[in-house]
Amino acid sequence: MSADTRRRGGAPVPGERLDGLVAVLDAIRSRPGTTHPRLVQQLGLGRTVVSQRVARLEAAGLVAQDGLAPSSGGRSPRRLRLRRNAGLVAGVDIGATGMTVGLADLSGSVLAASREAVDVADGPDVVLGRVERLVEDLLARLPAPPPLWGIGVGVPGPVEFATSRPVAPPIMPGWDGYPVRERLAGRFAAPVWVDNDVNVLALGEVRANPAAAEAGDLLYVKIGTGIGAGLVSGGRVHRGVNGCAGDIGHVAVAEAGAVSCRCGNVGCLEAVAGGAALAREARRLAERGGSPALAEALAARGGLTAADVTAAAERGDPAARALLARAGRLVGGTLATLVSFYNPGLVVLGGGVVHAGDQVLAAVRESVYRRSLPLATRMLRIELSALGEAAGLTGAVHLVLDSVFEAERLARWLPWGSPAGHPDVACGPAPGPA
């Protein structure tokens, strides 16, 4: 395919026309209620071109009129909006111990969602079986639901983004190379995208948090059962060649010494600062009498988790607070290198360990500002996630929306005949891999 044409059903589609259509659609999606004059001014396209592109989108059922805007002289311009109810998108956020499944409209607004406990180590047949059941249950709750346009899935392990297959995920036995896309696409006759959970979290933050969207270049760091980072550059997730960019949990740190990591190596950041590491150190403290609060929790339940550490810290336990502060310093030391290298405007911290209290956030900030280059931190902000747990579902939904409205996919399913001959867009994009 040449640089200036795209193909649909073997017929070339002028690239300039398609790119203009995508630009108009993106502008309407990002600014509901915009008008023809504003589109002309914003996009730098001629009035005739904008009118033609809007007419094409209206004929395809993607855009609708939304009343009239105030007149600045002459006829009042029409407000335009995306036909958000033309289709549905499913988002699936799978974590190590729980998952959230939801349905959203084409604007990304979540219409219904369910969350339940799950052990990702039970394997793909068990976990994805529950995903399928939850999606079907949510669809059944909606009266006369429109077609499902796509499914976005986040999983807690490395994913080869081009194939949507997990690759040697340390905490996901049985998932290596599993055809997640093919299974769900076959079940629901809709395209499927799968990504690492931290990339999905980062995408959710940048699409739904105005501060993150304004920053454009940011790092999202999750500190939970595992540790990972999502890199966003110019508002788009940077995945690297194979999709493993940002896997900082398995960076070697001197403080880890010879501590074994679940990935099979020793000395990884996650092995001394992740949730499992906190639970291990908490048990050691409890058994040696170093923390009455943790000893009490251990006696009551027979085991400890990172959540017990954060609960004890919130109650003022000095040993638990020290554990969290140490984890924050270790993560901050690794982040300092990334900040100097990447120079983001914002670092967003998420995950259960971070949201437990101020100790981790304060320690991360102290390490990053002390060890990064002064120029790299001049305008840097380090903040907690504004979305919290909702970032995963939001990101999974936008993983689909960012893809179905891209030029290459539109060229494959949007009709290019006369407007009167267009089928209803409710049929959605053609099923199949992205």
Side-chain angles (χ1 to χ4, degrees):
M1 185 180 350
S2 67
D4 60 351
T5 61
R6 319 289 167 87
R7 290 189 175 276
R8 177 187 178 275
V13 177
E16 182 179 353
R17 179 167 55 150
L18 180 59
D19 291 341
L21 193 77
V22 171
V24 170
L25 179 57
D26 285 346
I28 295 172
R29 289 175 58 212
S30 63
R31 190 175 179 179
T34 192
T35 64
H36 283 74
R38 287 177 183 169
L39 291 172
V40 171
Q41 183 179 26
Q42 177 183 346
L43 302 175
L45 299 173
R47 287 183 297 174
T48 300
V49 172
V50 168
S51 295
Q52 290 173 344
R53 302 301 178 261
V54 169
R56 177 66 63 190
L57 294 169
E58 288 179 320
L62 282 171
V63 168
Q65 183 176 337
D66 193 23
L68 299 176
S71 173
S72 57
R75 180 184 302 177
S76 296
R78 297 182 302 157
R79 295 184 186 275
L80 302 169
R81 62 170 176 82
L82 178 72
R83 279 193 63 228
R84 56 195 299 169
N85 296 324
L88 291 173
V89 170
V92 181
D93 177 26
I94 300 173
T97 58
M99 68 178 179
T100 303
V101 177
L103 295 176
D105 62 26
L106 298 185
S107 73
S109 296
V110 175
L111 305 176
S114 293
R115 180 170 178 80
E116 66 176 43
V118 68
D119 187 349
V120 74
D122 286 341
D125 287 332
V126 172
V127 175
L128 294 179
R130 287 302 305 155
V131 168
E132 291 166 345
R133 178 66 61 84
L134 288 175
V135 171
E136 290 170 345
D137 289 348
L138 291 173
L139 286 169
R141 292 184 201 173
L142 299 178
L148 188 65
W149 279 31
I151 303 171
V153 183
V155 298
V159 174
E160 185 178 47
F161 189 68
T163 63
S164 284
R165 298 194 178 199
V167 178
I171 66 168
M172 301 171 65
W175 290 79
D176 184 26
Y178 190 86
V180 179
R181 167 189 285 166
E182 289 79 0
R183 172 170 176 159
L184 295 179
R187 181 66 172 266
F188 295 102
V192 177
W193 290 265
V194 185
D195 204 351
N196 171 267
D197 61 342
V198 188
N199 284 343
V200 170
L201 288 164
L203 181 61
E205 200 76 28
V206 81
R207 292 290 177 266
N209 177 1
E214 182 180 357
D217 296 330
L218 64 92
L219 292 171
Y220 184 104
V221 182
K222 177 185 177 183
I223 311 175
T225 302
I227 298 175
L231 285 70
V232 177
S233 179
R236 299 180 66 87
V237 175
H238 173 76
R239 298 181 175 89
V241 174
N242 299 114
C244 68
D247 193 2
I248 65 170
H250 302 288
V251 170
V253 293
E255 294 89 339
V259 177
S260 297
C261 181
R262 58 186 177 175
C263 73
N265 289 323
V266 297
C268 296
L269 173 64
E270 188 175 295
V272 289
L278 287 172
R280 181 188 66 241
E281 291 302 307
R283 187 180 186 104
R284 182 183 63 81
L285 282 170
E287 292 174 342
R288 296 181 180 181
S291 169
L294 292 173
E296 180 183 342
L298 178 61
R301 286 186 291 279
L304 293 174
T305 66
D308 294 312
V309 178
T310 59
E314 288 175 346
R315 290 162 52 191
D317 183 76
R321 293 170 69 90
L323 279 181
L324 292 175
R326 178 174 182 268
R329 286 194 300 272
L330 291 172
V331 173
T334 299
L335 276 182
T337 301
L338 294 180
V339 166
S340 294
F341 176 79
Y342 179 54
N343 191 203
L346 176 66
V347 172
V348 178
L349 302 178
V353 172
V354 172
H355 285 280
D358 296 334
Q359 293 80 26
V360 176
L361 175 62
V364 168
R365 282 175 170 166
E366 190 277 332
S367 291
V368 170
Y369 287 122
R370 176 171 53 86
R371 299 181 61 173
S372 297
L373 294 172
L375 182 58
T377 57
R378 179 179 295 175
M379 301 180 67
L380 177 68
R381 291 175 292 125
I382 303 175
E383 301 176 354
L384 295 179
S385 166
L387 304 183
E389 291 185 352
L393 177 56
T394 300
V397 165
H398 283 277
L399 187 62
V400 178
L401 295 177
D402 283 2
S403 300
V404 297
F405 292 127
E406 284 184 341
E408 291 299 327
R409 181 159 286 271
L410 281 176
R412 290 160 53 187
W413 65 267
L414 188 65
W416 285 93
S418 63
H422 286 187
D424 194 309
V425 77
C427 64

